[in-house]
């Protein structure tokens, strides 16, 4: 075998095997279910924790990172979303973990836990670290292919890897494939070919006429058992057999507001419902003013409020119409984004106007209990954005006002369908996960089996 070919194979291979160890530190500030998850993740070495918003992913991945540091005497890199890095460093200080932030890729001698944003990953070298903890790892599938490949490549040869996110949409095979590949399990395409089949999306549905992937019926149980081999999922402590205690969600009130559709195009008596994505986007463009006026009306008052949108013209108009609002735009410099997000989090700014892809991950806005939303077909974007406020630890009921037009009400129907599918799939995942845990923890037979001598 030529050296060139050996180098090619080495560049494509993952570092295989089990790389965990018995935890060296499980502090008392962890709740029982958190201790169980951290213990499992440390022993496995490469794992994913899908824990819902407010269940304490930050102390869990910080304790995991500290265990790796104590075991290897080398630093661990923690990757976070924009605006969450400084919050992570403050949380680490509170929990007694030595963490520093790095923006330029430098790792000072003696550093233990280094915190950085995902978009700064290219400045770091994997050889400087014993492991990586990726917080809000579900954001990987929202990155472009180049960045997603860079993250997977960075993790490829590290023996210690942890992915943490609020419960990944269990009906989203792309996210699970991304997570599996980053951990060194099945690659995304290998996962699809083993457990899924291709079929054309039905007419009238989003993406109709194009190939989609559907879980093979006979492979459903094997698929979720495989996911349970490298991931643990929990929406409340009782999913793992623990008392829910203080982890109770307040009421969530979702209200739908339908504004009149734009006038019918020239030559038509009335506007037809938007059946395709192109039709929906055209109706969104034509209804920006009426939707933003309604959203501004709903966002009025003195209480903190978040206005979620997807288009630049929506965000610019909302910033002008909503009193006391500040817009966080993708065009802002990272430092400006962080300053504005911090100002809203501390109460200096009353109203935040932004997009889920900018501020929908990682941030904790428990001080806010009102949201105004322009919906899209992305269930995860909607789920994550709502969970910035509606999370464990929120003391007030949360109100989400969804503003749409009659012609694109199908978007809401699609979100409801995805939400119901996610709930069913997650319940199945928890069921199979608990079965796997019960099998793993079953005691050995009290009496050894005697084998006949003639065998």
């Amino acid at each position: 075998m030529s050296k060139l070919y050996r180098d090619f194979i080495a560049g494509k291979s993952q570092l295989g095997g089990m790389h965990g160890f018995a935890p060296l530190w499980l502090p008392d500030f962890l709740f029982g279910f958190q201790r169980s998850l951290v213990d499992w993740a440390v022993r496995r070495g490469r794992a994913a924790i899908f824990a819902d918003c407010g269940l304490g992913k930050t102390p869990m991945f910080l304790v995991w990172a500290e265990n790796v540091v104590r075991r290897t005497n080398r630093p661990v890199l923690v990757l976070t979303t924009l605006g969450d890095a400084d919050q992570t460093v403050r949380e680490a200080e509170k929990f007694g973990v030595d963490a520093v932030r790095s923006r330029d890729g430098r790792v000072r001698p003696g550093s233990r836990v280094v915190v950085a944003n995902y978009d700064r990953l290219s400045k770091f070298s994997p050889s400087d670290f014993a492991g990586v903890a990726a917080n809000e790892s579900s954001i990987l599938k929202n990155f472009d292919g180049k960045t997603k490949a860079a993250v997977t490549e960075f993790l490829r040869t590290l023996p210690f890897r942890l992915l943490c996110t609020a419960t990944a949409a269990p009906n989203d095979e792309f996210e699970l494939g991304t997570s599996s590949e980053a951990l060194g399990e099945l690659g995304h395409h290998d996962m699809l070919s083993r457990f899924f089949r291709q079929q054309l999306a039905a007419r009238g549905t989003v993406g109709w006429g194009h190939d989609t992937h559907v879980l093979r019926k006979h492979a459903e149980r094997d698929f979720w058992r495989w996911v349970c081999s490298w991931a643990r999922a929990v929406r409340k402590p009782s999913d793992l057999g623990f008392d829910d205690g203080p982890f109770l969600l307040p009421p969530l009130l979702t209200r739908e507001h339908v504004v009149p559709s734009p006038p019918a195009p020239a030559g038509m008596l009335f506007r037809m419902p938007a059946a395709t994505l192109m039709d929906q986007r055209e109706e969104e463009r034509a209804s920006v003013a009426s939707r933003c006026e309604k959203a501004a009306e709903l966002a009025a008052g003195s209480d903190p409020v978040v206005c979620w949108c997807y288009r630049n013209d929506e965000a610019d108009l909302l910033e002008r119409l909503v009193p006391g609002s500040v817009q966080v735009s993708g065009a802002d410099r990272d430092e400006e984004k962080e300053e504005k997000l911090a100002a809203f989090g501390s109460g200096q700014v009353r109203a935040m106007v932004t997009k889920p892809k900018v501020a929908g991950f990682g941030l904790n806005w428990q001080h806010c209990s009102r949201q105004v939303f322009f919906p899209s077909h992305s269930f995860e974007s909607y789920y994550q954005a709502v969970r910035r406020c509606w999370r464990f630890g929120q003391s007030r009921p949360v109100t989400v006002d969804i503003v749409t037009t009659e012609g694109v009400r199908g978007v809401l129907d699609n979100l409801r369908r995805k939400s119901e599918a996610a709930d069913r799939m997650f319940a199945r995942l928890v069921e199979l996960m608990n079965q796997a845990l019960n099998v793993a923890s079953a005691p050995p037979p009290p009496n050894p089996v005697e084998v006949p001598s003639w065998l």
Side-chain angles (χ1 to χ4, degrees):
M1 183 185 296
S2 68
K3 181 179 184 302
L4 182 63
Y5 185 68
R6 287 197 302 269
D7 292 343
F8 171 78
I9 295 298
K12 296 295 184 182
S13 62
Q14 294 269 0
L15 186 60
M18 295 288 289
H19 300 278
F21 54 90
L24 305 174
W25 182 54
L26 288 175
D28 292 337
F29 61 72
L30 292 177
F31 287 90
F33 75 96
Q34 294 172 340
R35 290 172 62 90
S36 175
L37 289 170
V38 173
D39 180 85
W40 168 80
V42 172
R43 291 178 185 275
R44 198 178 191 286
R46 298 202 304 260
I49 295 177
F50 299 148
D52 219 339
C53 303
L55 285 179
K57 290 187 295 296
T58 299
M60 285 192 280
F61 70 68
L62 286 173
V63 171
W64 179 90
E66 177 64 20
N67 273 277
V68 174
V69 172
R70 295 188 183 191
R71 173 76 173 192
T72 63
N73 200 30
R74 300 184 64 213
V76 168
L77 178 65
V78 171
L79 295 173
T80 70
T81 56
L82 184 69
D84 195 33
D86 288 336
Q87 178 178 288
T88 299
V89 173
R90 291 194 298 270
E91 290 286 295
E93 182 179 2
K94 181 175 72 175
F95 293 122
V97 175
D98 183 8
V100 295
R101 183 175 183 183
S102 176
R103 293 182 173 89
D104 56 9
R106 297 179 183 177
V107 182
R108 297 198 304 266
S111 296
R112 299 175 68 82
V113 177
V114 179
V115 183
N117 291 339
Y118 278 100
D119 58 0
R120 302 300 176 95
L121 182 62
S122 61
K123 300 180 180 294
F124 294 86
S125 171
S127 61
D128 292 332
F129 302 97
V132 170
N135 188 27
E136 298 298 342
S137 59
S138 64
I139 201 172
L140 294 180
K141 77 183 181 73
N142 294 322
F143 281 148
D144 57 67
K146 180 179 178 181
T147 306
K148 185 163 51 181
V151 174
T152 302
E153 174 64 22
F154 192 94
L155 270 62
R156 183 174 57 81
T157 57
L158 292 174
F160 301 106
R161 316 174 202 175
L162 180 67
L163 306 181
C164 287
T165 185
T167 47
N171 59 326
D172 192 333
E173 68 273 10
F174 292 100
E175 179 175 343
L176 293 173
T178 301
S179 299
S180 170
E181 191 164 354
L183 291 175
E185 301 291 334
L186 283 178
H188 177 221
H189 294 293
D190 293 330
M191 180 199 72
L192 291 178
S193 63
R194 179 174 297 188
F195 298 109
F196 292 80
R197 60 180 174 83
Q198 283 185 303
Q199 72 173 28
L200 287 177
R203 178 179 291 274
T205 63
V206 177
W208 73 270
H210 297 278
D211 283 341
T212 185
H213 289 88
V214 179
L215 185 61
R216 301 176 194 271
K217 191 64 177 179
H218 68 273
E220 180 180 354
R221 182 178 180 84
D222 290 339
F223 173 73
W224 292 113
R225 286 175 66 91
W226 167 72
V227 173
C228 292
S229 71
W230 51 266
R232 290 288 181 266
V234 54
R235 280 189 173 175
K236 54 185 182 300
S238 56
D239 288 338
L240 297 176
F242 292 87
D243 180 47
D244 287 336
F247 294 95
L248 298 173
L249 286 170
L252 175 68
L253 174 61
T254 303
R255 304 185 297 193
E256 182 179 350
H257 306 269
V258 180
V259 302
S261 294
M268 297 182 65
L269 293 177
F270 53 87
R271 177 176 287 273
M272 299 294 292
T276 67
L277 280 175
M278 186 176 296
D279 294 337
Q280 291 171 4
R281 288 168 181 164
E282 177 58 34
E283 181 147 338
E284 287 172 354
R285 281 193 292 268
S287 64
V288 167
S290 60
R291 289 186 293 111
C292 287
E293 289 171 0
K294 183 62 178 180
E297 174 189 329
L298 294 167
S302 59
D303 292 336
V305 62
V306 186
C307 299
W308 299 103
C309 55
Y310 290 88
R311 299 170 53 87
N312 292 335
D313 51 1
E314 294 170 345
D316 293 339
L317 184 54
L318 281 172
E319 186 178 19
R320 294 196 298 270
L321 294 176
V322 178
S325 65
V326 170
Q327 179 187 169
V328 178
S329 166
D332 295 338
R333 293 183 297 106
D334 286 352
E335 291 76 11
E336 293 175 338
K337 294 175 185 174
E338 292 181 331
E339 289 177 3
K340 294 177 182 178
L341 293 171
F344 178 70
S346 63
Q348 300 175 41
V349 171
R350 184 191 77 86
M352 172 63 59
V353 177
T354 188
K355 301 175 183 177
K357 69 177 182 180
V358 174
F361 295 85
L363 295 168
N364 182 353
W365 288 337
Q366 293 180 6
H367 74 294
C368 175
S369 62
R370 296 174 58 209
Q371 295 190 5
V372 180
F373 218 107
F374 293 157
S376 79
H377 285 286
S378 172
F379 168 71
E380 186 193 13
S381 293
Y382 174 76
Y383 181 87
Q384 289 280 1
V386 170
R387 284 298 186 134
R388 295 313 96 215
C389 304
W390 189 55
R391 55 195 293 123
F392 297 110
Q394 171 65 264
S395 59
R396 295 174 294 172
V398 175
T399 300
V400 178
D401 289 304
I402 299 176
V403 180
T404 185
T405 64
E406 186 66 39
V408 294
R409 294 185 75 169
V411 175
L412 295 180
D413 294 336
N414 194 31
L415 283 177
R416 294 188 189 99
R417 179 187 60 79
K418 291 182 177 180
S419 177
E420 292 169 358
D423 289 340
R424 290 195 302 269
M425 288 292 188
F426 189 83
R428 181 64 168 158
L429 178 56
V430 170
E431 176 189 349
L432 292 174
M433 178 184 67
N434 287 331
Q435 289 179 10
L437 291 174
N438 291 336
V439 170
S441 61
N447 300 316
V449 177
E450 295 184 7
V451 180
S453 59
W454 55 272
L455 289 178

